[in-house]
């Protein structure tokens, strides 16, 4: 065990946070002491909207329901049981939603070994694969707070057309949809058009804090998860959140805030192998979108395993996470992290939400808005209205077209080397892949390869999924990022019924829109386009190994 994990731990309801106090003491002054002196733990537990300053008060007043939503969500359990029984023959569950509308359900089902297909993509190949997988037995959970998300709008359109093409009537097709959204949202009107069941979301909970609302619970319940246990786990922890001691959420939040104020504003998230490996993707969205604004923020770096590279450095706080440890087991899975968080999944959700809100107090940012998140989408809409300019090709090597920044090396190896070597001091490299998360999965190995070449943190995100997570941090956080964008030729495109574009066209516009948003900030962006995806992925990985 590392020195950082010695000393007292904060624990409640089976969730334990090790190592937070030593991190807090590394800050110029004790962040935790200041929070306690200001009565922050009790005020947050009481849903005080003034904690983040006057500018944030109006938003916070309508976004603090996550603190007790687990109690209200109990009222959903009879409806979920009835719905599961009614749809019993539809045993292929697809959740179509972005960011907080799908991530929690994915974590829950992965952790508990239940099958779930997640559509948070505009990649035609990935969507087409889902459409051809047990369509007759499919129920599609359309999930979104606003109902205006272009990805989810596309998903219900292509699925409805697929059901109709299979011979179902419009009424029969409607039975294959369940809609989760806020009351009065445009998606509620879509549900009425489809004739679908609607399960109302909690309107006082923002999407990334919505793990224990209908967004997390409906897909998980339909996939066979006993979601009442998640609510019980959160409920057992909730009583600790108003305390000044033995409060895991306070300990973790103070550690995150203290690290950031001491210059450690990158958070390496390390699965410790105790059963909650997918939780890092959910934490990533929560931290990045909540804190990455006003030139500040915590950058989450999701590592694949305790031994993966990219989780060390003077500006990196290493946090391991996992399920409950057996007596005598060492936290961290052998990594020796700065902080270790272990406990049941329902308690993990509530603890990280509370800790993120606490970190927002310390950083002085509003953790409930996302002012830069829509920018790339707005740029994408402009590109949808006209041809998206690809720019001149710097070079073509095998299955890869290189679009290098002006004045830099034009060849693949040279452009990659310049990008890696040019990362700012205190900066990071983000790999952004507008590809098929299933069919092109091997490309995710690029993160570890590039992390092994630099002492700087390297993140990996699937587009457009990351736009609803780290995308806010890229544009609203410290402007020290370097970006490698990967796109690919679409082999078998898919039209979006009722719209003048296809999924391939939409994906192209989303990638172009984000490039434009990043370039406007003067950040380096290298785009590599794979003209043959399979060959291009293999070629790119080989090029990275040879750098």
């Amino acid at each position: 065990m590392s020195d950082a994990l010695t000393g007292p731990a904060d624990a409640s309801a089976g969730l334990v946070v090790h190592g937070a106090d030593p991190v807090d003491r590394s800050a110029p002054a004790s962040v935790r002491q200041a929070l306690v002196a200001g009565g922050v733990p009790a005020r947050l537990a009481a849903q005080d909207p003034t904690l983040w300053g006057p500018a944030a008060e109006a938003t916070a007043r309508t976004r603090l329901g996550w603190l007790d939503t687990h109690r209200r969500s109990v009222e959903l359990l009879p409806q979920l049981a009835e719905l599961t029984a009614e749809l019993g023959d539809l045993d292929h569950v697809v959740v179509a939603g972005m960011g907080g509308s799908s991530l929690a359900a994915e974590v829950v089902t992965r952790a508990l070994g239940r099958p779930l297909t997640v559509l948070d993509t505009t990649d035609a190949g990935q969507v087409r694969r889902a459409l051809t997988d047990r369509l007759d037995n499919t129920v599609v959970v359309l999930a979104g707070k606003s109902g205006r998300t272009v990805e989810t709008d596309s998903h219900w359109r292509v699925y409805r057309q697929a059901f109709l093409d299979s011979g179902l009537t419009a009424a029969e097709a409607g039975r294959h949809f369940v809609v989760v959204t806020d009351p009065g949202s445009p998606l509620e009107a879509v549900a009425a058009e489809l004739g679908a069941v609607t399960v109302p979301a909690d309107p006082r909970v923002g999407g990334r804090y919505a793990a224990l609302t209908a967004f997390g619970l409906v897909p998980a319940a339909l996939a066979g998860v006993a979601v009442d246990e998640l609510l019980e786990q959160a409920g057992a922890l909730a009583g600790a959140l108003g305390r000044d001691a033995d409060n895991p959420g306070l300990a973790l939040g103070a550690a995150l805030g203290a690290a950031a104020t001491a210059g450690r504003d990158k958070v390496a998230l390390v699965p410790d192998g105790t059963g909650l490996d997918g939780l890092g993707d959910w934490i990533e969205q929560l931290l990045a979108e909540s804190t990455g604004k006003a030139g500040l923020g915590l950058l989450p770096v999701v590592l694949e395993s305790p031994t993966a590279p990219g989780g060390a450095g003077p500006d990196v706080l290493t946090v391991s996470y996992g399920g409950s440890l057996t007596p005598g087991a060492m936290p961290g899975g052998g990594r020796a992290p700065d902080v270790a968080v272990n406990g049941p999944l329902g308690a993990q959700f509530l603890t990280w939400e509370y800790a993120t809100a606490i970190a927002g107090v310390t950083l002085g940012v509003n953790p409930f808005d996302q002012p830069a998140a829509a920018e790339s989408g707005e740029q994408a809409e402009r590109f949808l209205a006209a041809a998206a300019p690809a720019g001149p090709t710097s070079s073509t090597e095998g299955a890869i077209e290189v679009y290098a920044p002006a004045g830099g090396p034009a060849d693949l190896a040279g452009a990659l080397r310049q990008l890696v070597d040019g990362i700012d001091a205190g900066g990071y490299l983000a790999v952004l892949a507008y590809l098929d998360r299933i069919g092109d999965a091997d490309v995710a190995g690029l993160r570890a390869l590039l992390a092994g070449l630099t002492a700087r943190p390297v993140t990996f995100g699937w587009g457009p999924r990351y736009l609803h997570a780290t995308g806010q941090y890229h544009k609203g956080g410290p402007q020290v990022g370097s970006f490698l964008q990967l796109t690919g030729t679409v082999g078998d495109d898919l039209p979006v019924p009722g719209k003048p574009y296809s999924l391939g066209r939409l994906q192209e516009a989303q990638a172009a829109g984000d490039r434009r948003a990043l370039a406007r900030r003067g950040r380096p962006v290298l785009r590599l386009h794979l003209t043959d995806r399979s060959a291009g992925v293999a070629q790119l990985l080989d090029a990275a190994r040879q750098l």
Side-chain angles (χ1 to χ4, degrees):
M1 184 182 297
S2 70
D3 292 340
L5 290 181
T6 60
D10 283 71
S12 182
L15 190 135
V16 183
V17 175
H18 293 273
D21 280 347
V23 172
D24 190 16
R25 288 197 295 271
S26 72
S30 172
V31 169
R32 180 166 178 164
Q33 287 180 5
L35 292 166
V36 169
V40 172
R43 290 169 61 193
L44 179 52
Q47 302 186 30
D48 181 351
T50 68
L51 285 168
W52 302 273
E57 184 173 345
T59 304
R61 194 175 298 280
T62 64
R63 286 291 180 264
L64 287 168
W66 51 270
L67 283 153
D68 60 359
T69 196
H70 57 277
R71 298 193 188 102
R72 293 187 296 280
S73 290
V74 171
E75 300 172 4
L76 289 175
L77 296 179
Q79 182 182 4
L80 294 182
E82 181 180 346
L83 185 61
T84 301
E86 180 183 337
L87 300 176
D89 59 319
L90 303 181
D91 55 3
H92 177 216
V93 183
V94 175
V95 58
M98 302 302 295
S101 298
S102 60
L103 279 170
E106 183 174 44
V107 170
V108 170
T109 52
R110 178 177 172 183
L112 300 178
R114 302 301 304 172
L116 181 71
T117 296
V118 177
L119 275 189
D120 53 3
T121 183
T122 50
D123 187 85
Q126 190 173 335
V127 174
R128 189 178 292 280
R129 185 183 303 105
L131 286 171
T132 56
D133 182 12
R134 295 165 287 166
L135 184 66
D136 291 346
N137 294 13
T138 293
V139 57
V140 182
V141 181
L142 299 171
K145 284 193 69 68
S146 71
R148 298 184 180 91
T149 307
V150 65
E151 298 91 347
T152 306
D153 178 77
S154 300
H155 295 153
W156 76 256
R157 292 172 182 276
V158 297
Y159 257 103
R160 181 180 62 173
Q161 189 63 52
F163 288 133
L164 295 177
D165 290 346
S166 74
L168 297 183
T169 66
E172 290 169 337
R175 179 176 177 266
H176 288 255
F177 291 97
V178 173
V179 173
V180 180
T181 191
D182 279 3
S185 83
L187 196 54
E188 193 175 53
V190 170
E193 178 184 342
L194 293 172
V197 172
T198 300
V199 182
D202 190 332
R204 295 191 66 245
V205 181
R208 57 188 176 274
Y209 291 81
L212 297 172
T213 72
F215 287 114
L217 301 180
V218 171
L222 291 176
V225 173
V227 295
D228 57 322
E229 296 179 7
L230 297 171
L231 301 178
E232 290 169 3
Q233 292 161 0
L237 175 79
L241 299 183
R243 299 199 298 246
D244 296 339
D246 294 324
N247 180 342
L250 173 63
L252 178 58
L256 293 171
T261 59
R264 301 170 72 186
D265 60 353
K266 320 297 190 303
V267 182
L269 296 168
V270 184
D272 68 6
T274 56
L276 302 182
D277 287 5
L279 184 61
D281 291 338
W282 177 84
I283 298 170
E284 177 186 50
Q285 191 221 5
L286 180 68
L287 279 180
E289 200 166 41
S290 296
T291 68
K293 56 203 71 172
L296 302 169
L298 292 160
L299 175 68
V301 183
V302 180
L303 302 191
E304 299 83 359
S305 71
T307 59
D315 56 347
V316 177
L317 179 75
T318 303
V319 182
S320 69
Y321 61 87
S324 300
L325 296 173
T326 57
M330 305 291 266
R335 178 87 187 203
D338 298 301
V339 179
V341 185
N342 287 92
L345 186 53
Q348 288 269 7
F349 284 141
L350 186 54
T351 296
W352 281 98
E353 289 166 351
Y354 184 98
T356 300
I358 287 285
V361 173
T362 300
L363 289 169
V365 298
N366 177 2
F368 308 116
D369 68 351
Q370 47 280 334
E375 181 181 347
S376 293
E378 293 166 356
Q379 293 288 344
E381 289 179 3
R382 294 187 179 97
F383 286 131
L384 275 175
T393 305
S394 304
S395 66
T396 300
E397 299 181 29
I400 299 178
E401 293 177 349
V402 179
Y403 295 84
D411 63 297
L412 176 61
L416 282 172
R417 173 53 71 182
Q418 182 184 58
L419 187 69
V420 171
D421 290 346
I423 301 172
D424 291 353
Y428 64 93
L429 172 63
V431 182
L432 312 173
Y434 284 82
L435 298 168
D436 182 338
R437 187 155 67 104
I438 310 301
D440 303 319
D442 287 350
V443 79
L446 191 62
R447 192 213 69 82
L449 288 173
L450 295 178
L453 297 174
T454 175
R456 306 305 312 138
V458 179
T459 67
F460 183 94
W462 295 101
R465 169 182 169 132
Y466 76 85
L467 293 175
H468 301 262
T470 52
Q472 165 65 42
Y473 183 96
H474 295 161
K475 303 168 195 68
Q479 293 303 294
V480 293
S482 299
F483 301 91
L484 173 59
Q485 188 187 82
L486 309 177
T487 57
T489 297
V490 176
D492 190 7
D493 206 352
L494 193 62
V496 179
K499 294 293 182 178
Y501 50 79
S502 64
L503 285 179
R505 181 78 181 86
L506 176 57
Q507 185 184 46
E508 178 188 20
Q510 288 176 313
D514 200 43
R515 287 199 305 275
R516 169 74 64 84
L518 294 170
R520 287 175 60 182
R521 288 164 171 79
R523 302 313 305 160
V525 181
L526 168 62
R527 178 194 176 200
L528 302 178
H529 182 74
L530 313 183
T531 55
D532 179 302
R533 293 195 182 196
S534 179
V537 168
Q539 181 184 342
L540 178 56
L541 293 174
D542 187 56
R545 293 186 188 101
Q546 296 182 42
L547 287 179

